[in-house]
Amino acid sequence: MTNTVISSAKKEVIIGFDRPFCVIGERINPTGRKKLAAEMKAGDFSTVEADTIAQVQAGAHMLDVNAGIPLADEPKILADTIKLVQSLVDVPLAIDSSIVEALEAGLEVYQGKALLNSVTGEEERLEVILPMVKKYGCAVVGISNDETGISEDPDVRYEVAKKIVERAADYGIPKEDIVIDPLVMPIGALGAAGRGALSLIRRLREELKVNTTCGASNISFGLPNRHQLNQAFLSMAAGAGMTSAILNPLHEPEMVGLMGADVINGVDKDCTTWIRKFREPVAESEEGRGARGGRGERRRRRVA
């Protein structure tokens, strides 16, 4: 079994085939959030603080941290955000940026073993990111696109993933430290996106033997009732072998779907997490009545 170990200074998370599905919280990301972007650019991290705590309380096992703000000092903001988040919670982080300098700035201040998000199959990107992964001893998300773009053909995306794994091996990076993003397409635009993604996830697990992740909401882009559609996809993806995803843990349908998938896949041992979450507590008055009723019944049997 392939286990990808990610850690903070205090806590270790294992993404693996026989492990519960790993939820990576997506909320610390200013993309599409104008208010958050303006706050972070101005050095106001109040929303970051609130989102950090809320996501962990909602069940996130890791947090993705992104500081992609136009015309801002992204390396500094990302490093400052990582230091703040690590002071608030003990879960490991994914350091997320398309800018190499920002990724390195984040790795320099990170305490533990991070998940670097990300490297693609593009030669230029591989030659820059993989030495950084080796230098800092982190794990990395490999995204299944290259110089030709994102192929609609799952077989082409598989070959890109294989290339990333093979090139990483050249740098002494084991496949355990690579988490492949198969690039889930919007099913509203591409009707075969769901079947293609599930087929690719199975191949990545069975043939390439790597852990996988995705942006969970990509599948439902442009469609109504997105949370329920995301829930269905995530449950099926977990059944096909996906081991983690980047999503909003505050959305209950997705989280319930993944918890149910853990039960069905047998990785929620004895259904412990499911029972802890959903078992209805017995009211104290009912417990008392039950106990008194039981004693009375025993007395009646003795009299008889």
Side-chain angles (χ1 to χ4, degrees), residues 281-296:
V282 178
E284 185 177 345
S285 58
E286 293 179 4
E287 287 180 343
R289 285 198 299 272
R292 289 192 295 273
R295 288 194 295 271

Side-chain angles (χ1 to χ4, degrees), residues 23-156:
V23 173
I24 305 172
E26 69 177 10
R27 293 282 295 167
I28 307 173
N29 188 336
T31 304
R33 300 178 66 188
K34 293 182 179 180
K35 179 176 179 292
L36 177 59
E39 286 178 358
M40 293 175 72
K41 188 174 182 179
D44 177 359
F45 294 96
S46 54
T47 300
V48 169
E49 291 182 12
D51 283 346
T52 294
I53 294 168
Q55 288 185 103
V56 174
Q57 289 178 341
H61 305 107
M62 295 177 54
L63 298 179
D64 187 81
V65 179
N66 183 298
I69 305 167
L71 304 177
D73 185 352
E74 184 173 338
K76 182 181 186 305
I77 295 173
L78 184 59
D80 289 345
T81 305
I82 288 168
K83 288 188 286 186
L84 172 63
V85 171
Q86 288 208 291
S87 74
L88 296 171
V89 294
D90 62 3
V91 300
L93 306 182
I95 300 174
D96 186 358
S97 180
S98 60
I99 297 176
V100 173
E101 293 78 11
L103 291 175
E104 185 142 30
L107 286 169
E108 285 177 350
V109 301
Y110 185 79
Q111 298 180 49
K113 179 181 178 182
L115 177 63
L116 199 67
N117 190 7
S118 57
V119 67
T120 66
E122 299 167 280
E123 285 296 331
E124 182 178 346
R125 190 77 175 175
L126 289 166
E127 291 173 2
V128 173
I129 299 297
L130 292 181
M132 190 185 304
V133 172
K134 181 65 175 178
K135 175 182 176 181
Y136 288 95
C138 60
V140 65
V141 175
I143 300 181
S144 301
N145 70 281
D146 58 14
E147 290 88 352
T148 64
I150 302 173
S151 174
E152 293 184 3
D153 185 344
D155 291 337
V156 173

Side-chain angles (χ1 to χ4, degrees), residues 294-304:
R295 288 194 295 271
E297 183 62 29
R298 288 193 293 274
R299 284 197 296 271
R300 284 193 292 274
R301 284 199 293 271
R302 284 199 295 273
V303 171

Side-chain angles (χ1 to χ4, degrees), residues 214-257:
C214 73
S217 63
N218 290 354
I219 192 74
S220 65
F221 182 78
L223 293 175
N225 201 15
R226 294 187 67 185
H227 298 310
Q228 279 67 30
L229 186 55
N230 294 342
Q231 179 189 52
F233 170 72
L234 283 167
S235 297
M236 295 180 74
M242 182 164 276
T243 48
S244 70
I246 301 171
L247 63 139
N248 186 344
L250 304 181
H251 293 158
E252 188 173 8
E254 288 93 327
M255 294 295 284
V256 172

Side-chain angles (χ1 to χ4, degrees), residues 17 154 158 182 194-212 233 235-243:
F17 297 170
Y158 175 85
R195 292 196 306 272
L198 296 177
S199 174
L200 180 50
I201 290 164
R202 290 189 190 96
R203 288 193 69 191
L204 290 168
R205 175 170 179 150
E206 295 169 5
E207 298 178 35
L208 207 52
K209 302 186 186 305
V210 291
N211 284 302
T212 45
F233 170 72
S235 297
M236 295 180 74
M242 182 164 276
T243 48

